[in-house]
Each structure stands twice: as structure tokens, then as C-alpha cells.
Amino acid sequence: MFRIFSIFGNEFNFEAMARTKEFNEDQALDKAIEIFWHKGYNGTSAQDLVTHLGLSRSSLYDTFGDKQKLFSKSLQRYQQQAQDTVKELLEKSDNVKETLHEIFKQAVIESLEDRITKGCFMVNSSVELAMHDEEIAKIVKSNSQTMEEVFTNAVKKGQEAGHISKTLDAKVLARFIFNNYSGIRVLARAGERNKQVYDDIVKAVFSVL
Amino acid sequence: MFRIFSIFGNEFNFEAMARTKEFNEDQALDKAIEIFWHKGYNGTSAQDLVTHLGLSRSSLYDTFGDKQKLFSKSLQRYQQQAQDTVKELLEKSDNVKETLHEIFKQAVIESLEDRITKGCFMVNSSVELAMHDEEIAKIVKSNSQTMEEVFTNAVKKGQEAGHISKTLDAKVLARFIFNNYSGIRVLARAGERNKQVYDDIVKAVFSVL
DNA sequence: ATAATAACAGAACGATCGTTCCGTTATTTA
DNA sequence: TAAATAACGGAACGATCGTTCTGTTATTAT
């Protein structure tokens, strides 16, 4: 911070630095994602955050403002990470159908492995908050749009390469894929542990492509 | 209530009735469904319940025990109502594919009409509570199983009548249908208002049947 | 060394949470 | 009418909520 004193026409510039942060902000955000993802917004208390992030109440509030702002930042960070992963996989791929299949298989594996069943942070937040919090609604909407674009471009590529049926429009298929992805995440959050259920759904989904 | 006093071998049976309830328990439950559905469990306060159900705190607690019990009862009542509707429609139907289409179209209409976007009470509760509350988890699981059975029987009937493709097993298709139904309800809860999005999903789903 | 100040730890705040308690009212049987 | 008692209205409870305040510590430029 800078303070400039102007006395009798002369300017004195005092700069004084203070203590450095003892934690990494992004690492703290990742911890916040973990606990919000697991317990939801209303289910996570300020004390939960203090305990889980390992920093004091004052540092938490000094750094992130309040609970709502911290949640919002966490969800945005999660969105960025998740989107980047899928986007890169599909853009690099030269067999989009196969890559999409891998993405779904991965979602199934995560759903079964997940000892503390978390589902998808975006889906969870959407269900819990989208209708009560405009900022969260915006993030959810932005995520849906981006994912729709990513899937649409991928399907188009697959259709041009002859890997995916042209019977249905790319956008139709993109929305269909996204819908089943959401459904699977809800299933996981509900605690479904039967692999056959997931496999059946994936089988039916890919019978369309 | 009955009190039986036994004095010197003689039994005296005193029955004294008290004030009658000024509200209907099922109607109160329906109101509870409304507000829990809209705001979720954690988002609904005891005061919300008092205000919305229109009865006093004491009556509320005397009648339903506590918040968790009231929620549980509400969800069970919702489940029964929703299941009965779908089950009856499909069992009466002589063109199951068409009836399923009607059910999905109805879900789309509700999603678009819903000014206070509620999604599906079962899906919402599943996402919010299933992993933190065993009793809710049981209800969710029971609902999934019943719906899977209902859809499986329906698909079998459709396949035997030649209305639905036999390419995929009835159970596979049932799980696929249920998954897309969940997805659509999440979309609604997220505030999606574009009919085309829903129509595209339904179109893709029914291209499989 | 001193002044300046952000980061920190933790006590404390008012508000709201879910729940219980108490005194009154209304209804029924004896 | 009298006795019994569930239903009722509303005050009150302790606990916990999210947030703020206070005082201390650590770091840096002067």
C-alpha cells in the first residue's frame, strides 16, 4: 500500500509492507471446493470452513469476503478446471465418439469409487442454489452454454469423420449427452453403487451416436 | 386416550376427549411438500413451516415430531403420489411408447410453466440429503427401484406389442429413461426456459425406443 | 531501531436456528 | 356441570449461525 503526504508542496511517499500470507490462496480455494462439494452451501458452516481450510476466521473473511463470495469463487474455479479437461480431451481427439465414451466411463468410475459420494459440484449447486441465488444461476447457465458448445463441436467433428451418426443434429446430440451426464451425476450423489446401472445407461446413450 | 384404573379388583375406564385438530394433517403435509420442494431441507426454517402450514409451532411439533420427521413424511407422501400417477398411466396404456412420450412432454410443460422452478422433489432431496441422511437415502433408493420396475414392465409390454424396439433389454431402456427424466428435472431446477433444449433431449431419447 | 500495516488468533456479536415449555382454549365423556 | 386432556398461541430456550472486532505478530521500507 502507498500513502502520499503532500506537505508545503513536497510529496513524501511512504511504503510499508506487512506480514506475508501463510497460505496459498488457490490451495485454500481447492479445499473450499472439496467441502462445499461434499456438504453443499447450506450444509457447510463457517466453522467447517475454518477447520477444513486450516486458516483463521479473520484470514478467511479478509481474503474471501464472505461465505457466498467464497462459494462463488470455488464454483467458478471448479467450472474452469472441469471445462478445460473435457475441452482439451475432445479437441485433441481424432475419434470423438471414443473419447466421449472414455469421458463417460471415467464418470462411472468416479461415481463408484467415490467413498464420500460427491456427484458433480456444478449439478449439486445448480439444484441447491440456482433458483435462490442469481450469481450462482449465472455460473450454472454459463457452464451449460459452454458445455453445449464443446459437445456440439465435438459431435460435428465426429459426424464429419464418420464416427457419429448424422441422423440427429449435432446440437440435439450435444444436449442429449449433457443431459445423461447430469443424470449419472445425480445417480452417483444418490449413492448408486451398482456398476451395471451405469453401464446400461452408457450403453443406451451410445446406441444413439 | 384411555386410562384404566383398577381398584379393589374393579376396573374403571375413563375416557376423556380433548379439543379437535383445527387443520387436516394431509393438507398440512401437502403444504410442507410445497415449501420443502421449493426451498430444500436446509433452506427451510421452522418459521417458514409455521408461516406456510398456517399452524403454530407447538401443533407442528406435537403432530409431526421434528423437522426431519416432517420432511421424511413429506417426501414419502410425494413419492407415493408421483409413483401412483405414472404407474397407473402405464398400466392402463395400450401404447406404452406413446404414454411414455406423454409423460415426458408433461415434464417439459411443467418445467417451462413452473414460475418458481422446483424441479423434482425426489431429485432435489436426493442431491441435497441422500448422502447425509440414511432415512432419506432409503426413500430415494426405494423410489429408484420402484420406478425401474414400473418402467421395465412398461417397456416389456411395449416390446411385446411391437411398439418399442427390442434391440436393447427392457431393463437397460428403463434405466436410460429414468436417467433422462432425472436430467430433465435438473435442467428445470437450473432454470432452463428454452423449450427447444427439452424437445431435443426428448427427441434423442425416443429415437432409441 | 522505528513506523507502518497486512496477516493472524481468537473472543465476541447479534441474529436466527430448531426445539421446548407454559398457560389458555376448546371439546368430549362422565 | 365437572373433570380430563389434546390442541393451541406464543414466549423462551440453548445452540449454532455468519460475521465483526480487538489485540498480537510478522514483515518491510525508512
Side-chain angles (χ1 to χ4, degrees):
Chain A
M1 283 292 129
F2 294 85
R3 280 254 184 110
I4 298 176
F5 298 89
S6 183
I7 304 174
F8 303 130
N10 299 312
E11 287 199 345
F12 298 89
N13 185 347
F14 296 94
E15 180 180 354
M17 295 303 290
R19 222 169 135 168
T20 52
K21 270 194 206 304
E22 289 173 10
F23 64 96
N24 177 286
E25 207 170 307
D26 280 342
Q27 283 175 7
L29 265 185
D30 285 335
K31 297 252 189 187
I33 290 175
E34 274 182 14
I35 191 156
F36 278 135
W37 189 350
H38 176 57
K39 294 190 160 194
Y41 179 81
N42 286 311
T44 303
S45 68
Q47 185 54 50
D48 287 335
L49 290 166
V50 168
T51 304
H52 198 78
L53 305 211
L55 43 102
S56 68
R57 283 168 126 72
S58 50
S59 297
L60 204 156
Y61 277 83
D62 283 351
T63 309
F64 298 108
D66 58 21
K67 189 181 164 186
Q68 137 70 21
K69 287 200 187 83
L70 175 56
F71 186 90
S72 181
K73 266 200 174 179
S74 303
L75 188 58
Q76 285 181 61
R77 183 173 165 82
Y78 171 84
Q79 177 196 19
Q80 201 60 57
Q81 291 171 344
Q83 270 178 15
D84 289 351
T85 308
V86 171
K87 198 173 176 181
E88 198 190 330
L89 277 172
L90 287 171
E91 282 175 357
K92 273 188 182 172
S93 165
D94 47 19
N95 187 335
V96 166
K97 185 172 179 179
E98 211 168 82
T99 305
L100 280 171
H101 209 155
E102 290 301 327
I103 291 171
F104 269 79
K105 278 194 274 187
Q106 188 57 37
V108 172
I109 289 171
E110 282 167 18
S111 300
L112 292 168
E113 272 180 352
D114 218 352
R115 282 278 129 242
I116 49 159
T117 325
K118 290 186 301 190
C120 166
F121 189 26
M122 189 62 66
V123 170
N124 299 353
S125 305
S126 162
V127 170
E128 186 186 3
L129 301 172
M131 63 179 304
H132 301 292
D133 185 320
E134 266 201 45
E135 200 177 335
I136 301 303
K138 275 184 194 166
I139 298 173
V140 169
K141 181 146 286 186
S142 137
N143 183 65
S144 302
Q145 282 174 351
T146 305
M147 292 306 292
E148 185 179 303
E149 281 169 29
V150 170
F151 282 142
T152 303
N153 290 334
V155 170
K156 271 183 189 162
K157 208 168 85 176
Q159 286 176 327
E160 280 158 16
H163 294 127
I164 294 179
S165 158
K166 287 185 178 175
T167 310
L168 293 168
D169 275 359
K171 187 169 275 185
V172 171
L173 289 176
R175 287 166 173 168
F176 169 71
I177 290 167
F178 187 61
N179 196 57
N180 278 279
Y181 189 81
S182 293
I184 282 178
R185 294 312 204 161
V186 170
L187 215 51
R189 182 77 172 173
E192 180 61 66
R193 283 280 132 68
N194 182 356
K195 186 168 188 299
Q196 194 60 51
V197 173
Y198 295 97
D199 288 344
D200 285 352
I201 293 165
V202 173
K203 186 180 185 181
V205 170
F206 279 84
S207 78
V208 183
L209 308 191
Chain B
M1 284 292 132
F2 294 87
R3 281 255 184 107
I4 298 175
F5 297 88
S6 184
I7 304 175
F8 303 128
N10 300 313
E11 288 197 347
F12 299 87
N13 185 346
F14 297 93
E15 182 180 354
M17 294 303 288
R19 220 169 136 168
T20 51
K21 273 193 204 303
E22 288 174 9
F23 64 95
N24 177 286
E25 207 169 307
D26 281 342
Q27 282 175 9
L29 266 184
D30 286 335
K31 297 254 189 187
I33 290 175
E34 275 182 15
I35 191 156
F36 278 135
W37 189 349
H38 177 56
K39 293 191 161 195
Y41 179 80
N42 285 312
T44 304
S45 68
Q47 186 53 50
D48 286 336
L49 291 167
V50 168
T51 304
H52 198 79
L53 305 211
L55 43 101
S56 69
R57 283 169 127 72
S58 50
S59 297
L60 204 157
Y61 277 82
D62 284 351
T63 308
F64 298 108
D66 59 21
K67 190 182 165 186
Q68 138 69 22
K69 286 200 187 83
L70 175 56
F71 186 90
S72 180
K73 265 199 174 180
S74 304
L75 188 58
Q76 286 182 60
R77 183 173 166 83
Y78 172 85
Q79 178 197 18
Q80 202 60 59
Q81 290 172 345
Q83 270 178 15
D84 289 351
T85 308
V86 171
K87 198 172 176 182
E88 199 190 330
L89 277 172
L90 287 171
E91 282 176 358
K92 273 187 181 173
S93 166
D94 47 18
N95 187 334
V96 167
K97 186 171 179 179
E98 211 167 81
T99 306
L100 280 170
H101 210 155
E102 290 300 327
I103 291 171
F104 269 79
K105 278 194 275 187
Q106 188 56 38
V108 171
I109 289 171
E110 282 167 19
S111 301
L112 292 168
E113 273 181 352
D114 218 352
R115 281 282 129 239
I116 49 158
T117 326
K118 291 186 300 188
C120 165
F121 188 26
M122 188 63 65
V123 170
N124 299 353
S125 304
S126 164
V127 170
E128 185 186 3
L129 300 173
M131 64 179 303
H132 301 291
D133 186 320
E134 267 201 46
E135 199 177 336
I136 302 302
K138 273 184 195 168
I139 297 173
V140 169
K141 180 147 286 187
S142 137
N143 183 64
S144 303
Q145 283 174 350
T146 304
M147 291 307 290
E148 186 179 302
E149 281 169 30
V150 169
F151 281 143
T152 302
N153 290 334
V155 170
K156 271 182 188 162
K157 207 168 86 176
Q159 285 176 328
E160 279 159 18
H163 294 126
I164 294 179
S165 159
K166 288 185 178 176
T167 311
L168 292 170
D169 275 358
K171 188 170 273 186
V172 171
L173 289 176
R175 286 166 173 168
F176 170 71
I177 290 167
F178 187 61
N179 196 58
N180 277 280
Y181 189 81
S182 294
I184 282 178
R185 295 310 203 162
V186 170
L187 215 52
R189 182 77 173 171
E192 180 62 65
R193 282 281 134 69
N194 182 355
K195 186 167 189 300
Q196 193 60 50
V197 173
Y198 295 97
D199 287 344
D200 284 352
I201 292 165
V202 173
K203 186 180 184 181
V205 170
F206 280 84
S207 78
V208 183
L209 308 191

